[in-house]
Amino acid sequence: MWKKDSGDVQLKNIDMKRIPRHLAIIMDGNGRWAQQKGLPRSVGHRAGVEALREVVRGSDELGIKYLTVYAFSTENWKRPQSEIGILMSLLKEYIRKELAELHANNVKICIFGQEEDIPKDVLKAYNEACEKTKNNTGLVLNVALNYGSRIEILKAVKEVAQEVQSGALNVQQITEEIFEKHLYTKDCPDPELLVRTSGEMRLSNYLLWQAAYSEIVIVNECWPDFNRALLFETIRIFQNRERRFGGVKEG
Ligand code: IPE
Ligand code: IPE
Ligand code: MG
């Protein structure tokens, strides 16, 4: 079993029968966390990896089935080369160090993103992790790495168009279900809950299709301060929301 940290008090407030199946997280605020302490942004990114470890464990403990974390966006290439280098090496280090424990805990690792532009060594580490854990049946950890929702949607559009062009499909047959089979999330339900840290209230090109009816919880703490207790608190907030999907409340 995973080692437990803070959060036992918050755990008592959670209805274990209504845990979201799919939790998506925008891990934001590493840079600001460090800068507030007078430290370089890289220190924030390193601390962010620690938070990720704790949240993966906490999610598994709750019985969340799919956890999708935004690790690097298609827009993050705009950052200084030095910061990109640090982020990539931390992402590689994370998977290299955690793989054995993740595998031992039955976690299945997947990557969502434009693989061709990910540095070869980083991609290799993730591909190996995916391969090693592909038959695991526990928590599915989707790492959104070089991920951008618009590119994901365009990729799906092109694949569907190709099927139409080849005659395998006609235009009238295109449904939401068929379209979704071309997204990275083809094997997951839509996230019921989307959490963003650091107080920012935007999606930043994350899961634009899939989050159509996600409950969004914005946490003021920066990502390195996110922990088991805050994870449990966001689940409690989610459980207090009324999800209507365009309908009206019954009774
Ligand atoms: C999240 O923290 C990590 C990535 C986006 C890769 P940031 O680096 O965006 O930190 P802030 O938002 O600048 O504080
Ligand atoms: C979103 O955060 C991407 C990740 C967390 C990987 P950003 O920090 O890149 O988003 P913006 O620029 O504030 O919208
Ligand atoms: Mg940010």
Coordinates of all heavy atoms in Angstrom, one line a residue, residues 26-28 70-73 76 79 196 202 204, ligand 2:
I26 N -5.1 20.4 -13.9 CA -4.2 21.3 -14.5 C -3.2 21.7 -13.4 O -3.6 22.4 -12.4 CB -4.9 22.5 -15.1 CG1 -5.9 22.1 -16.1 CG2 -3.8 23.5 -15.7 CD1 -6.7 23.3 -16.7
M27 N -2.0 21.2 -13.4 CA -1.1 21.4 -12.3 C -0.4 22.7 -12.6 O 0.6 22.8 -13.3 CB 0.0 20.2 -12.4 CG -0.7 18.8 -12.4 SD 0.6 17.5 -12.3 CE 1.3 17.6 -13.9
D28 N -0.9 23.8 -12.0 CA -0.4 25.1 -12.3 C 0.1 25.8 -11.1 O -0.3 25.6 -10.0 CB -1.6 25.9 -13.0 CG -1.0 27.1 -13.7 OD1 0.2 27.2 -14.0 OD2 -1.8 28.0 -14.0
Y70 N -2.1 17.4 -16.5 CA -1.5 18.3 -17.6 C -0.1 18.5 -17.2 O 0.2 19.3 -16.3 CB -2.3 19.6 -17.7 CG -2.4 20.3 -19.0 CD1 -3.2 21.4 -19.1 CD2 -1.7 19.8 -20.1 CE1 -3.3 22.1 -20.3 CE2 -1.8 20.5 -21.3 CZ -2.6 21.6 -21.4 OH -2.7 22.3 -22.6
A71 N 0.9 17.9 -17.9 CA 2.3 18.0 -17.6 C 3.0 19.1 -18.4 O 3.9 19.7 -18.0 CB 2.9 16.7 -17.7
F72 N 2.6 19.1 -19.7 CA 3.3 20.1 -20.6 C 2.3 20.3 -21.8 O 1.9 19.4 -22.4 CB 4.6 19.5 -21.1 CG 5.5 20.4 -21.8 CD1 6.5 21.2 -21.1 CD2 5.4 20.6 -23.2 CE1 7.3 22.1 -21.7 CE2 6.3 21.6 -23.8 CZ 7.2 22.3 -23.1
S73 N 2.1 21.6 -22.1 CA 1.1 21.9 -23.2 C 1.8 22.2 -24.5 O 3.1 22.4 -24.5 CB 0.3 23.1 -22.8 OG 1.0 24.3 -22.9
N76 N 3.6 25.4 -24.2 CA 4.7 25.5 -23.3 C 6.0 25.6 -24.0 O 7.0 26.0 -23.3 CB 4.7 24.5 -22.2 CG 3.6 24.6 -21.1 OD1 3.0 23.7 -20.6 ND2 3.2 25.9 -20.8
R79 N 8.2 28.8 -23.8 CA 9.0 29.2 -22.6 C 10.5 29.2 -22.9 O 10.9 28.6 -23.9 CB 8.7 28.2 -21.4 CG 7.3 28.3 -21.0 CD 7.0 27.5 -19.8 NE 5.6 27.7 -19.4 CZ 5.1 27.5 -18.2 NH1 5.9 27.1 -17.2 NH2 3.9 27.7 -17.9
R196 N -8.1 22.9 -11.2 CA -6.9 23.7 -11.5 C -6.4 24.4 -10.3 O -7.2 25.0 -9.5 CB -7.2 24.7 -12.6 CG -6.0 25.5 -13.1 CD -6.2 26.4 -14.3 NE -4.9 26.9 -14.7 CZ -4.6 27.3 -16.0 NH1 -5.5 27.1 -16.9 NH2 -3.4 27.8 -16.3
R202 N -9.0 29.4 -16.2 CA -9.1 29.1 -17.6 C -8.7 27.7 -17.9 O -8.1 27.0 -17.1 CB -8.3 30.1 -18.4 CG -6.8 30.1 -18.1 CD -6.0 31.1 -18.9 NE -4.7 31.2 -18.4 CZ -4.4 32.2 -17.5 NH1 -5.3 33.1 -17.1 NH2 -3.2 32.2 -17.0
S204 N -6.8 26.7 -20.7 CA -5.5 26.6 -21.3 C -5.4 25.4 -22.2 O -4.4 24.7 -22.2 CB -4.4 26.6 -20.2 OG -4.5 27.7 -19.4
Ligands
IPE2 C1 -1.3 25.0 -18.4 O1 -0.6 25.9 -17.6 C2 -0.4 23.9 -18.8 C3 0.1 23.0 -17.8 C4 -0.2 23.0 -16.5 C5 1.0 22.0 -18.2 P1 0.1 27.2 -18.2 O2 0.8 27.9 -17.0 O3 0.9 26.9 -19.3 O4 -1.2 28.0 -18.7 P2 -1.4 29.6 -18.9 O5 -0.3 30.1 -19.8 O6 -1.3 30.3 -17.6 O7 -2.7 29.7 -19.5

